[in-house]
Amino acid sequence: MPRLSRRGFLAAGGARLVEAAAPVTTTVPGGLDVRVLQTASSVERGIITTYEALLALPLVRNGRPILTDVLRTTLQHHNEHLGAFQAQTVTLGGKPQAAANPKVQALVARGLASTHDVVKLSVALEQFATDTYLFDLGVAGPGLRGLLGSVMLAEAQHLAAVRLLQGLVEAGNERLVAIPTELADVPRSLGTVGFPKALHPLAGPDGVAQPDTGAVK
Amino acid sequence: MRAFGRRTLLTGGAALTTGLVAAGCSDRATHSTVAASPPPIGRGVARTDADIATLAGGLEVLLAGAYRSLRERLNGGAFGRVPSAMDEYVRVAMTHHEEHVQVWQDILGKSGRAAVIEPNRQMAPAVQRQLDVVKDVDGALHLALGLEDVAADTYLRSLTEASSVEAARTAARIGIVEQQHQAFLLLAIGDYPAPDSLMRPEKAVTP
């Protein structure tokens, strides 16, 4: 399978990614909770545009059905997350963010040559979202914790799901890359690949979208 | 494949889950599907971080003990031939919950509160009843899924009620792992591993 460069990836289905690349501002008025929500919206927008682009790639469209199913279902969830964050932004008197976060777009700047590459990108995106909302719990007001926590746990489960998918792909047996799979035949490591640590690590500044990276001017 | 909600998918193992929820759920909601609206999580009864740690500690003692029981029976051949990934999952999930116990014990120690050594009283009898009737791998998977569901929902509620950022983040960091345990269990059962768009603390246990 030919290796897709980033340019090729974008040409294949990432037009909206380019549109979304309009930089978001970094110095903003408004309360911290509004900025957290706007940045969360920008993270969701970045993931949505990426998944839309991935779903348009021939290697996904012509690949294993499970990959399309996972990307499509997860995309639907992220659209719902975006709607929830934007609605709460408006409730707090802010302007909803519609642009993608540049830190998410930076994650996409890599070649995609195989199903494995697509799944790894998905892992990176879900990890970034999970870590961002975990970080936000420490900076947002208590009134936002319910929404942030609700979405964070959904992202965490996405993360585990795509790690499991990565584990199935890496097992090298096409028959196992399916839902349902053959539990008796999957590698032993699949029992732990979704959750490598007992306590989810706190990411450093590079691994999250801090509230000033996606706020509306 | 359609984007099923978790509650829909769990109907196959609903009996086990229902038993656990009936034992410990504080605000069983009627939601059967997810919706794209913020979940109704309130900061109702005021609780201290030590209360949250005590509740969490009791739950973790319960889960660690349940996995220990399942592991002993798996190793003893009670469930027949066990898939290696399932065997590995039970071993690691047990150690995760043991580590979670220690995290909460440390927080309790800092607050001057007594360590929790007993399993959560609300849940323990129901869990023991379920353990007594589990006779195969599928039953073990559903029992574990019900326990992880209760734990994750409890942490989701706790992170909204915590006074300190440290307690909120600790609940979140552990809740993430409980949620991820469920992904494996769902896949092992044959279901989609991440069915829900927004999580709700429907099965949260209260002190």
Side-chain angles (χ1 to χ4, degrees):
Chain A
M1 187 175 295
R3 187 169 185 82
L4 265 180
S5 65
R6 180 167 183 248
R7 178 173 295 178
F9 163 68
L10 292 171
R16 269 169 289 188
L17 246 176
V18 176
E19 290 170 17
V24 290
T25 54
T26 55
T27 306
V28 292
L32 181 57
D33 282 1
V34 167
R35 284 183 280 151
V36 165
L37 288 164
Q38 290 169 335
T39 298
S41 299
S42 74
V43 169
E44 295 295 336
R45 176 64 76 194
I47 294 173
I48 288 165
T49 53
T50 303
Y51 280 156
E52 287 173 341
L54 291 175
L55 281 163
L57 290 175
L59 77 87
V60 173
R61 282 191 283 117
N62 302 328
R64 302 286 297 178
I66 183 180
L67 183 59
T68 308
D69 290 339
V70 168
L71 291 175
R72 192 172 288 146
T73 302
T74 311
L75 170 62
Q76 177 189 324
H77 291 177
H78 285 294
N79 270 306
E80 293 178 19
H81 300 167
L82 174 61
F85 285 136
Q86 288 180 327
Q88 189 65 19
T89 304
V90 172
T91 299
L92 296 185
K95 181 180 177 185
Q97 176 60 278
N101 192 288
K103 294 186 82 168
V104 174
Q105 292 169 322
L107 295 172
V108 183
R110 62 180 75 179
L112 296 170
S114 64
T115 297
H116 188 245
D117 289 343
V118 172
V119 175
K120 280 175 67 178
L121 173 57
S122 185
V123 168
L125 293 169
E126 300 299 339
Q127 171 107 41
F128 188 80
T130 302
D131 290 343
T132 292
Y133 306 142
L134 176 59
F135 173 85
D136 286 343
L137 287 173
V139 297
L144 278 194
R145 286 188 193 161
L147 176 57
L148 288 169
S150 174
V151 177
M152 177 195 69
L153 291 185
E155 311 298 25
Q157 201 161 19
H158 290 163
L159 174 57
V162 289
R163 281 173 173 164
L164 287 164
L165 179 56
Q166 183 178 347
L168 290 172
V169 170
E170 290 174 354
N173 184 339
E174 285 276 303
R175 182 177 57 84
L176 298 178
V177 187
I179 299 175
T181 187
E182 297 293 333
L183 186 62
D185 295 337
V186 301
R188 184 177 187 84
S189 59
L190 204 76
T192 59
V193 72
F195 26 84
K197 299 212 181 268
L199 199 61
H200 186 81
L202 291 170
D206 292 342
V208 301
Q210 292 175 317
D212 60 350
T213 65
V216 177
K217 194 172 189 178
Chain B
M1 184 188 302
R2 286 161 36 210
F4 294 106
R6 175 176 49 166
R7 270 64 188 178
T8 305
L9 291 168
L10 281 175
T11 52
L16 285 167
T17 308
T18 302
L20 299 178
V21 170
C25 179
S26 62
D27 59 349
R28 178 89 171 134
T30 55
H31 307 292
S32 58
T33 56
V34 295
S37 57
I41 305 170
R43 292 168 58 83
V45 179
R47 297 188 185 99
T48 67
D49 289 353
D51 293 334
I52 288 169
T54 297
L55 173 65
L59 267 184
E60 294 293 351
V61 170
L62 178 71
L63 267 71
Y67 277 109
R68 195 172 304 116
S69 173
L70 290 174
R71 181 159 173 71
E72 288 168 0
R73 294 164 70 183
L74 256 62
N75 288 344
F79 300 153
R81 187 169 180 276
V82 176
S84 63
M86 166 74 171
D87 182 62
E88 181 72 349
Y89 167 78
V90 171
R91 183 187 70 78
V92 168
M94 181 185 75
T95 64
H96 281 183
H97 290 294
E98 289 171 346
E99 289 183 47
H100 299 167
V101 170
Q102 192 55 53
V103 168
W104 292 115
Q105 302 293 34
D106 291 346
I107 289 177
L108 286 168
K110 287 180 192 171
S111 71
R113 186 81 69 94
V116 176
I117 55 173
E118 298 293 331
N120 177 276
R121 286 184 192 172
Q122 283 175 276
M123 299 281 296
V127 172
Q128 188 56 55
R129 282 196 296 276
Q130 305 297 346
L131 283 167
D132 289 344
V133 299
V134 168
K135 59 183 185 304
D136 54 25
V137 168
D138 191 58
L141 288 167
H142 279 95
L143 173 55
L145 182 58
L147 288 169
E148 298 290 353
D149 201 6
V150 168
D153 281 9
T154 302
Y155 284 119
L156 177 53
R157 176 171 290 280
S158 293
L159 70 86
T160 70
E161 296 178 334
S163 302
S164 69
V165 168
E166 181 193 7
R169 274 206 174 133
T170 300
R173 295 174 70 189
I174 296 177
I176 284 171
V177 176
E178 319 299 36
Q179 200 71 54
Q180 293 179 326
H181 287 167
Q182 292 178 59
F184 171 78
L185 292 164
L186 287 165
L187 183 72
I189 287 167
D191 287 340
Y192 188 74
D196 288 339
S197 171
L198 291 165
M199 301 303 173
R200 301 167 188 279
E202 295 172 356
K203 297 175 184 172
V205 179
T206 52

